[in-house]
Amino acid sequence: MTKILVDCDPGHDDAIAILFAARRCELVGITTVHGNASLENTTRNALAICTLAGLDVPVARGCEAPLVGAATHAGDIHGRSGLDGAVLPEPDHAPIDAHAVDFIIEQAERHKGELVLAVVGPQTNVALALRREPRLASWLKAITIMGGSTTVGNITPAAEFNVYADPEAAAAVFACGAPTWMAGYNVTRQTGFTQPEIDRLRRGRGRTAAAIADLMQFYLDGQRRVFGLDIAPMHDVCAIFPFVRPDLLTHVEASVEVELSGRLTRGMTVCDLRNKRAGATGAIQEARRPNARVATSSDARALISEVIDAVLSYP
Ligand code: BDR
Ligand code: CA
């Protein structure tokens, strides 16, 4: 089983990513970051999900603001708490004493060459960890990111939320040199629970399935209202699939760079999908070296079915 650390901002789809990673990988820890809601809320939400599902996993608090500027939250989609829609249990344990940045470094060193770092919120913790420990990139088996898009954005027409919420951090992470996977909004917005799938969760026996069904209903309603989508997109769990069922996503190797200064495009991921070969001599810009495996499609129904099975396996 793949050893994995999930760096997240729960978040409805983050909650699913945690539950899936804990069942289908060896989840060595969870680190929290600002994003869908304040750090206080995302940390509390991570602990509440662990309590709900009976997971004994260390949770380390991370950064409450991006490298530059103020935090952006996603209350339109995730509600004020970051995880509205269900009554969740009071957390039965506290975050560990270590800061997320230190915990990421410590776990990567302990599991050298084996640890996958799944980054499914703004990338502030990871950027700071890379800055503090320059060997970090070489210690990781992979970094797998939910963030960016090869096509449309969500928070702006051009930018996806996680990258927009800390573009300087995302730029540092994409440039770090670790084997990098990107599950962007282009694929994740088409990979989600349908209403009948949420109903199927609701019919599940455990308390976890019941609470998750309530959460997903709230989230689907928000996606319908705000984006006119008829699915609840499971953005974050898509980043974990390459290490569980690699056959359910298609990737291409590409250069990904983050726009930091555009008036309309700050936070956009510029993915070079031109399939540019050697040979042009005119004005066509040369391709940069690929730095990521970028998801271009998913087998959404099969992927979601795997996710539902994982959620239904909880008490
Ligand atoms: C990403 O933003 C957050 O709202 C979700 O949790 C996901 O990580 C999608 O753009
Ligand atoms: Ca997230």
Side-chain angles (χ1 to χ4, degrees), residues 13-14 36 78 120 146 154 160-162 235-236:
D13 55 320
D14 304 71
N36 287 323
H78 297 275
V120 300
M146 189 284 130
N154 50 3
E160 178 281 330
F161 176 80
N162 287 341
H235 304 294
D236 291 345

Side-chain angles (χ1 to χ4, degrees), residues 263-286:
R263 184 175 65 84
L264 300 173
T265 53
R266 180 167 158 80
M268 179 179 179
T269 45
V270 178
C271 304
D272 191 347
L273 301 181
R274 294 175 299 166
N275 201 22
K276 165 81 175 63
R277 311 294 168 97
T281 52
I284 299 174
Q285 195 180 84
E286 276 308 318

Side-chain angles (χ1 to χ4, degrees), residues 76-203:
D76 283 334
I77 295 293
H78 297 275
R80 275 178 72 86
S81 73
L83 206 45
D84 279 9
V87 181
L88 295 174
E90 281 296 308
D92 65 3
H93 58 291
I96 60 173
D97 278 343
H99 190 280
V101 169
D102 297 318
F103 185 69
I104 288 169
I105 294 168
E106 177 202 306
Q107 291 299 312
E109 185 168 23
R110 174 175 306 173
H111 303 294
K112 240 178 239 168
E114 290 185 305
L115 185 68
V116 172
L117 180 54
V119 192
V120 300
Q123 295 163 36
T124 319
N125 292 336
V126 182
L128 287 176
L130 288 163
R131 192 182 290 174
R132 176 167 302 179
E133 175 48 84
R135 293 171 297 178
L136 175 61
S138 69
W139 289 344
L140 291 168
K141 176 175 174 182
I143 293 182
T144 185
I145 294 167
M146 189 284 130
S149 176
T150 65
T151 55
V152 292
N154 50 3
I155 184 95
T156 75
E160 178 281 330
F161 176 80
N162 287 341
V163 174
Y164 179 86
D166 195 341
E168 282 74 17
V173 174
F174 274 108
C176 79
T180 298
W181 301 72
M182 170 179 145
Y185 186 66
N186 53 299
V187 164
T188 65
R189 73 199 279 259
Q190 297 171 348
T191 310
F193 292 134
T194 60
Q195 182 69 62
E197 284 163 339
I198 295 175
D199 297 342
R200 189 180 150 210
L201 281 175
R202 190 174 300 291
R203 289 194 299 274

